């Protein structure tokens, strides 16, 4: 679980124009989430550009990629 969440955080840190990571936890807080990486936007926005969506997709896939590298 820790590798997965750090993968999200690293993917966020290595990209430009991403929302900053506020919190990472590997302690289950709710049903269905074993851990999470929380990003909070610096300003409120309602629409996303294609580039922002691609950046978000890379961030989401960072968790699985980290698992593949480690295991």
């Amino acid at each position: 679980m820790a590798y997965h969440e750090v993968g999200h955080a690293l993917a966020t840190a290595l990209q430009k124009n991403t929302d900053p990571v506020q919190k990472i936890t590997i302690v289950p807080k709710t049903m269905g989430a074993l851990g999470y990486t929380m990003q909070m936007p610096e300003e409120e926005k309602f629409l996303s550009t294609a580039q922002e969506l691609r950046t978000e997709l890379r961030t989401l896939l960072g968790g699985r990629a980290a698992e593949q590298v480690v295991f």
Side-chain angles (χ1 to χ4, degrees):
M1 184 58 51
Y3 290 117
H4 179 91
E5 297 306 329
V6 168
H8 291 306
L10 283 174
T12 300
L14 295 174
Q15 297 181 82
K16 295 180 181 176
N17 303 324
T18 58
D19 296 328
V21 174
Q22 296 295 317
K23 182 177 182 180
I24 302 172
T25 182
I26 58 169
V27 178
K29 297 285 185 186
T30 63
M31 297 299 292
L34 298 176
Y36 62 88
T37 302
M38 181 188 305
Q39 292 178 263
M40 296 297 291
E42 294 176 336
E43 59 186 41
E44 191 173 345
K45 61 182 177 180
F46 299 100
L47 299 174
S48 298
T49 64
Q51 181 60 39
E52 289 170 336
L53 292 173
R54 284 191 289 271
T55 300
E56 184 176 352
L57 184 58
R58 284 190 293 266
T59 299
L60 293 172
L61 293 173
R64 177 68 175 143
E67 290 180 21
Q68 289 290 101
V69 169
V70 173
F71 301 112

